[in-house]
Amino acid sequence: MNQDQEMEKAVLSFDDLKTDDKGLIPVVVQDYQNGQVLMVAYMNRQAFEITMKEERMTYYSRSRQELWRKGDTSGHVQYVKSIDVDCDADTLLAKVEQVGAACHTGHRSCFYRRLRG
């Protein structure tokens, strides 16, 4: 494994992360097996703490302004395999085991429409 591939084990709390003015941090969500980007969502402190404790993805819904534990209504659960933080501590990368579709439209990924290429 070369230096670029090594992961440092970081011990960070939510207070160490850089959030927006509403206390939210974006989370890029990938399939842990194939790297497919499934979705982008946001976490607040409570969603972060629940996710870290339960190892099941919980987000903050900006449209509904409430916590949203992925799969509670759809059954399309996301189990945490790893969570990384970027160099600026302002974005999280969650690698998950996705059960069912990640997108509310029923698609595996929210990124199913190509604009170019």
Side-chain angles (χ1 to χ4, degrees):
M1 187 179 293
N2 70 33
Q3 192 173 22
D4 290 334
Q5 294 173 323
E6 291 180 20
M7 296 295 294
E8 294 178 17
K9 181 74 171 178
V11 180
L12 299 174
S13 71
F14 192 79
D15 291 329
D16 297 313
L17 303 176
K18 295 177 188 168
T19 61
D20 66 12
D21 59 349
K22 295 180 176 97
L24 302 176
I25 188 166
V27 184
V28 178
V29 184
Q30 284 184 306
D31 183 296
Y32 84 102
Q33 291 180 311
N34 62 23
Q36 180 184 26
V37 175
L38 300 173
M39 58 186 278
V40 175
Y42 292 83
M43 284 184 175
N44 64 4
R45 177 185 301 277
Q46 189 177 9
F48 177 83
E49 290 172 355
I50 291 169
T51 297
M52 298 302 274
K53 179 181 176 187
E54 297 183 359
E55 297 184 356
R56 184 170 159 196
M57 296 304 292
T58 300
Y59 305 105
Y60 182 79
S61 170
R62 296 178 303 161
S63 60
R64 296 187 312 265
Q65 297 193 2
E66 65 184 16
L67 287 180
W68 158 43
R69 191 164 79 164
K70 187 74 173 144
D72 275 356
T73 56
S74 67
H76 300 164
V77 179
Q78 294 174 337
Y79 296 106
V80 176
K81 293 298 183 178
S82 68
I83 298 179
D84 301 322
V85 61
D86 75 337
C87 57
D88 296 322
D90 64 1
T91 305
L92 299 176
L93 173 63
K95 295 183 182 178
V96 303
E97 176 185 345
Q98 176 69 51
V99 176
C103 186
H104 72 282
T105 64
H107 289 86
R108 173 90 179 144
S109 168
C110 291
F111 296 93
Y112 60 90
R113 298 179 293 178
R114 179 158 294 155
L115 296 178
R116 184 172 179 173

